[in-house]
Amino acid sequence: MEHFTIATVAEKSPDFRRVLWTGERTQLVIMTIPAGGEIGEEVHEGIDQILTFVSGVGEARVAGEKKKVAAGDLVVVPSGTKHNFVNTGPNPLVLYTVYGPPEHADQAVHRTKEEADAAEAAGEDEPPTE
């Protein structure tokens, strides 16, 4: 059994992205977006994503629509949908997200967005294959 007090685990992580668990069909990832930062506009083909916000405030930009997000909010991003999440507050925007199927390398840790982007560009952040 894997068990996480997820809000506490997410709050304690200073990393931009940390993969907590990877299964055959889903993946649990925590993220901390610094003040003024963003995830970056992206599209996941063949991957659904559910994001739950733990602390901070931001803006969800999904399929051309914008909504404010804060602690307790959940946003669903269906496969193939353009999206970005931007921290609009003075404190980190902390969240956890579930990808189905996995999107990132198992146990990946990227301390900054720049590190995450570099790993993706170098092909070092590929999800496990069957």
Side-chain angles (χ1 to χ4, degrees), residues 2-72:
E2 295 287 338
H3 176 270
F4 301 98
T5 305
I6 193 66
T8 302
V9 171
E11 279 287 339
K12 288 183 178 179
S13 176
D15 301 313
F16 175 74
R17 179 168 52 226
R18 177 178 292 269
V19 176
L20 289 183
W21 179 83
T22 301
E24 185 178 326
R25 294 183 182 88
T26 58
Q27 184 173 62
L28 175 62
V29 176
I30 53 178
M31 297 187 74
T32 299
I33 304 168
E38 63 182 73
I39 289 175
E41 189 172 87
E42 58 188 359
V43 174
H44 303 299
E45 294 297 342
I47 299 170
D48 294 320
Q49 185 176 9
I50 299 170
L51 302 95
T52 304
F53 296 85
V54 174
S55 65
V57 294
E59 183 176 78
R61 300 175 182 173
V62 179
E65 197 174 339
K66 295 180 182 180
K67 297 270 186 191
K68 291 181 181 183
V69 292

Side-chain angles (χ1 to χ4, degrees), residues 49-97:
Q49 185 176 9
I50 299 170
L51 302 95
T52 304
F53 296 85
V54 174
S55 65
V57 294
E59 183 176 78
R61 300 175 182 173
V62 179
E65 197 174 339
K66 295 180 182 180
K67 297 270 186 191
K68 291 181 181 183
V69 292
D73 289 346
L74 182 145
V75 176
V76 175
V77 180
S79 169
T81 304
K82 186 183 295 186
H83 61 281
N84 190 7
F85 295 87
V86 179
N87 183 340
T88 59
N91 300 312
L93 179 60
V94 179
L95 63 103
Y96 61 93
T97 182

Side-chain angles (χ1 to χ4, degrees), residues 92-117:
L93 179 60
V94 179
L95 63 103
Y96 61 93
T97 182
V98 176
Y99 294 96
E103 167 69 2
H104 299 287
D106 189 27
Q107 300 181 1
V109 176
H110 302 116
R111 295 185 190 340
T112 65
K113 179 176 181 349
E114 293 74 25
E115 187 177 305
D117 290 346

